[in-house]
């Protein structure tokens, strides 16, 4: 038996993993960043092979990790989590420094960052795992708690993008029927659920310029569930 | 610059990772369990090469992961986190079932469990990373939140064992002096700090049969810091 709900009990944080350089940099939201050895400190990140950033890491042989604050805005999560760097420049307009390896490091809504040189690459199937030796780690002057995947799911009602290792295909699962006359609407881009009962506002009454609080998609991108 | 405090902003859970069989099984407390691909679901665990369980995973080619509840007792954390299976049978007396691969699965204070067959082994230096394909995952009838490393450190005042990827050698760091007349005592086995000011009881006034709340070491194993 495989019970997907058991997966949700595994604890993760949420990070921006970046690579590239000053000319072309990119990043994505990752929940799989973890320390694999203590001496020397080495960290691993997982990256879908289709992610634009995967190609940049392969080329640059380095990556940065931005540890996000708990109340990270939907602008940052939408920009880095639900859009592709093939389509637009995610780094432009962000507060960015460049590390010792030349990779961009995003400082928006950050509490700390790491920078690593890739020393091992592991093909795990749909994803690549990059193991990096730490070049630098910096704790920023931001006392907020780190954003966890649980907080993002429970409080921000977010879901994993299709390319995440933890993505669960909801179409394969039975959709729960809502009791009463309240309806729910799903963002077709990121899976965020707008629940009329919880929000105390009917979806049709939202202003036409209302956008998905997670990924910034337009109201017309929502489908009734 | 390497700021070790930045490491603490990475989010982890805490788990028991087990391997072996009915005749000889063993497990250890791990904070590095994570999903690496979604289709098919594959999970990775990191294990210090010196861990007794590492040898069992190499032989059995399978492992189980018990996802622990938030209020996991110091008995479980001490038994699996700060003692070696070379010295005593950690599995004996526990509530255990055996998985499809034959590995023990600990059910004490558990909210869910996974079982995986190892399909890849990665040498990351001091640690081995085992990547396993999921055989089964079960959500148990225990509604509690999962135990996180942050909760363990902040609420339970626990530290990482020497073999953990996230171990930080405190002897290398400056020990903060306590202001006033309150003293602090460190457990020489697990590093737990008894803080007289926070506990409102002088260490010398604790009963002689008092034990470390994390690993169960005796009062005499504490050293003033």
């Amino acid at each position: 038996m495989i019970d997907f709900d058991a997966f949700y009990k595994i604890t993760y944080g949420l990070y921006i993993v970046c690579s590239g350089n000053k000319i072309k940099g990119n990043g994505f939201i990752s929940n799989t960043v973890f320390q694999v050895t203590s001496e020397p400190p080495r960290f691993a990140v997982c990256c879908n092979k289709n992610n634009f950033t995967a190609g940049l890491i392969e080329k640059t042989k380095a990556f940065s990790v931005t540890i996000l604050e708990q109340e990270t805005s939907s602008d940052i999560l939408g920009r880095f989590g639900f859009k592709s760097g093939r389509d637009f420049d995610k780094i432009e307009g962000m507060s960015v420094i460049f590390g010792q390896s030349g990779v961009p490091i995003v400082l928006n809504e950050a509490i700390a960052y790491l920078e690593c040189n890739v020393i091992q690459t592991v093909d795990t199937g749909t994803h690549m795992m990059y193991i990096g030796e730490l070049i630098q780690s910096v704790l920023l002057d931001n006392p907020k708690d780190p954003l966890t995947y649980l907080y993002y799911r429970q409080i921000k009602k977010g879901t994993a993008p299709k390319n995440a290792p933890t993505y669960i295909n909801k179409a394969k699962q039975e959709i729960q029927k809502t009791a009463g006359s309240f309806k729910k609407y799903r963002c077709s881009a990121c899976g965020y659920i707008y629940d009329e009962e919880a929000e105390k506002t009917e979806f049709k009454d939202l202003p036409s310029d209302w956008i998905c609080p997670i990924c910034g998609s337009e109201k017309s991108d929502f489908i009734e569930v």
Side-chain angles (χ1 to χ4, degrees), chain A:
Chain A
M1 183 178 82
I2 290 182
D3 184 344
F4 289 98
D5 287 335
F7 296 10
Y8 286 131
K9 302 300 176 186
I10 299 176
T11 300
Y12 303 97
L14 281 175
Y15 315 92
I16 303 172
V17 173
C18 280
S19 193
N21 52 36
K22 275 188 190 176
I23 297 156
K24 185 64 198 166
N26 195 54
F28 68 102
I29 299 286
S30 172
N31 66 344
T32 41
V33 171
F34 40 87
Q35 193 173 350
V36 293
T37 65
S38 65
E39 290 193 8
R42 289 175 178 163
F43 292 82
V45 299
C46 290
C47 185
N48 192 291
K49 289 175 181 174
N50 295 329
N51 269 10
F52 184 57
T53 309
L56 296 178
I57 297 177
E58 301 275 349
K59 210 182 283 178
T60 319
K61 300 283 181 212
F63 60 83
S64 71
V65 175
T66 297
I67 304 174
L68 293 166
E69 65 183 37
Q70 192 173 65
E71 291 301 337
T72 294
S73 67
S74 53
D75 177 52
I76 293 290
L77 294 172
R79 171 183 279 254
F80 287 99
F82 293 97
K83 285 171 182 166
S84 172
R86 287 186 188 88
D87 307 327
F88 92 116
D89 187 345
K90 296 188 188 181
I91 301 296
E92 199 191 338
M94 294 287 104
S95 170
V96 167
I97 55 170
F98 292 87
Q100 293 165 33
S101 65
V103 297
I105 302 167
V106 177
L107 299 181
N108 302 63
E109 306 178 36
I111 56 175
Y113 64 82
L114 315 173
E115 184 188 1
C116 294
N117 276 330
V118 174
I119 57 163
Q120 269 174 291
T121 299
V122 184
D123 188 335
T124 65
T126 52
H127 289 65
M128 297 302 289
M129 185 191 293
Y130 300 106
I131 299 173
E133 193 144 315
L134 191 73
I135 312 172
Q136 63 164 332
S137 61
V138 174
L139 185 68
L140 298 164
D141 188 21
N142 180 347
K144 290 183 189 146
D145 282 334
L147 177 60
T148 66
Y149 189 40
L150 185 70
Y151 187 88
Y152 167 70
R153 286 204 317 113
Q154 287 188 343
I155 311 297
K156 298 184 86 76
K157 299 196 182 78
T159 59
K162 262 189 201 164
N163 282 352
T166 49
Y167 175 68
I168 290 175
N169 191 339
K170 287 285 179 190
K172 286 187 180 174
Q173 299 186 301
E174 199 186 352
I175 294 166
Q176 275 193 309
K177 295 267 183 283
T178 317
S181 61
F182 295 109
K183 290 175 189 165
K184 289 181 180 177
Y185 294 80
R186 186 192 307 279
C187 173
S188 58
C190 74
Y192 166 78
I193 300 286
Y194 180 88
D195 181 346
E196 291 184 340
E197 187 173 9
E199 304 293 342
K200 300 193 196 335
T201 303
E202 282 191 53
F203 187 76
K204 68 176 175 51
D205 294 337
L206 292 170
S208 59
D209 61 351
W210 179 88
I211 56 165
C212 172
I214 298 301
C215 72
S217 291
E218 292 177 12
K219 192 179 169 186
S220 56
D221 292 331
F222 278 68
I223 299 152
E224 189 184 327
V225 292

